[in-house]
Amino acid sequence: AVALAAGMTGVAGAQELPAAYTEAGVIKSALNTGYAPLEMIDPATNEFIGFDIDLAAAIGEKLGVTIEYFDGSFEQMTPSLQSRRVDFIMSGFYDTPARREIFDFIDYLKAGAQFYAPTAEADLTANTDLCGKTITTSRGTSYPKTVEAWSEANCVAAGKAPIDIIVDTDRVQQLTNLRTGRAVAAVQGLEAVPAIIDAHPGEFRALGDPISSALMGIAFNKDQPELRDAFFAALTEVIADGTYA
C-alpha cells in the first residue's frame, strides 16, 4: 500500500464512499483491545487509544465519517465482518494467505512474530532452547501455525522435540500462563513485545530473532471494492500529508 500510495495524492475526494456510508456518517470496525500499542482502553477515560485507533480516525476524517468500534475477542472479528456486523477490520490483523481467500486487504504496517520470556527463565538464550518446551500464544491468530512451522523447521528437522503450543484468550491469560509456569515463553507481534516489556519492567525480555515477517492490513469483504478503494485513497492522503509518520 505504501509503495502504491507514494505516487498518489489528493485522491480521497475522487474515490467516494458508497452513499450508504456517507449518509450514515459512520463506518463500523471490529476491535480487540488489550493489544498495546495498537489498541487499548485508556483507564482514565475508558476511551479507545492506540496506533490503529489514531490511524483509523485520520482515515475517517479524510472520508468525512466517524469510526464506530465493536470490541470483542480476536477470534470473533472474522465472523463479525463476514456477517456484516462490521464494515472492516483494523485491529492488529495480519494479511495472511488464508485470510486473503475471504477478504481484501490494504496493508499498512510491517509486523511479524517474536518469542518473549520471563527474565527468570535464564536458561533460555536462543529460540532453539524452546524445543521440547511449552509456549503460549493467542487463539484465533496466525501465531500457533507460525510457531508450529518454525518448530518443524528448527526443532524437529534437527532431531529435537517439537515446541508444545497452548493457546490463551487474551494477554492477561498469556501473562498468567508465564507467571505460573504453565508456559516458559510466549509469542506476540513485533509491535507488541516492546510494549509488554515496558509495562512490566524487569519481568520479561525478548528472546532471539523474530520467527516470521508479515504485513498488517485493513480487511474488507471482497464484494465491497468501493469501500476498500475509498479507504485506500484516504490512507494515501494520510501518508502523503505526514500524518501516518
Side-chain angles (χ1 to χ4, degrees):
V2 174
L4 289 173
M8 299 172 61
T9 58
V11 292
Q15 179 58 59
E16 295 182 357
L17 279 172
Y21 297 109
T22 302
E23 292 168 4
V26 172
I27 302 180
K28 301 173 184 178
S29 174
L31 190 68
N32 173 230
T33 52
Y35 192 61
L38 298 186
E39 35 269 326
M40 305 156 283
I41 296 177
D42 186 338
T45 65
N46 209 37
E47 295 180 349
F48 299 129
I49 59 172
F51 176 78
D52 280 345
I53 306 301
D54 291 343
L55 184 56
I59 292 172
E61 184 176 355
K62 297 290 185 184
L63 296 172
V65 296
T66 299
I67 307 299
E68 180 178 329
Y69 290 103
F70 286 83
D71 189 18
S73 64
F74 191 92
E75 60 263 32
Q76 283 301 312
M77 293 198 299
T78 290
S80 290
L81 181 53
Q82 289 176 305
S83 66
R84 311 302 173 119
R85 186 185 182 199
V86 298
D87 305 304
F88 69 101
I89 298 172
M90 185 178 177
S91 182
F93 202 60
Y94 285 8
D95 176 355
T96 66
R99 290 172 181 160
R100 210 173 301 139
E101 292 293 320
I102 53 176
F103 298 134
D104 283 349
F105 281 86
I106 301 172
D107 296 327
Y108 64 95
L109 194 68
K110 185 177 180 180
Q114 170 78 56
F115 286 118
Y116 74 98
T119 304
E121 296 283 353
D123 60 323
L124 300 177
T125 60
N127 289 337
T128 50
D129 292 335
L130 296 174
C131 298
K133 295 183 170 62
T134 300
I135 69 97
T136 181
T137 192
S138 302
R139 180 183 293 119
T141 70
S142 60
Y143 298 141
K145 288 186 177 180
T146 297
V147 175
E148 183 179 358
W150 188 92
S151 175
E152 285 292 321
N154 295 276
C155 297
V156 177
K160 301 177 181 179
I163 295 174
D164 184 34
I165 305 165
I166 59 175
V167 294
D168 49 72
T169 56
D170 54 34
R171 186 169 297 178
V172 172
Q173 185 183 23
Q174 184 167 105
L175 298 183
T176 298
N177 287 337
L178 293 173
R179 287 165 174 155
T180 59
R182 189 173 181 222
V184 300
V187 168
Q188 279 289 354
L190 293 173
E191 64 286 345
V193 171
I196 294 171
I197 293 171
D198 287 347
H200 306 280
E203 188 175 2
F204 300 105
R205 59 187 171 86
L207 178 64
D209 294 326
I211 62 172
S212 71
S213 180
L215 293 174
M216 196 168 289
I218 311 171
F220 303 86
N221 285 312
K222 286 184 173 292
D223 62 354
Q224 292 192 295
E226 296 87 358
L227 178 61
R228 176 203 65 204
D229 292 349
F231 262 71
F232 179 79
L235 175 59
T236 297
E237 291 193 358
V238 169
I239 293 170
D241 69 16
T243 301
Y244 176 93

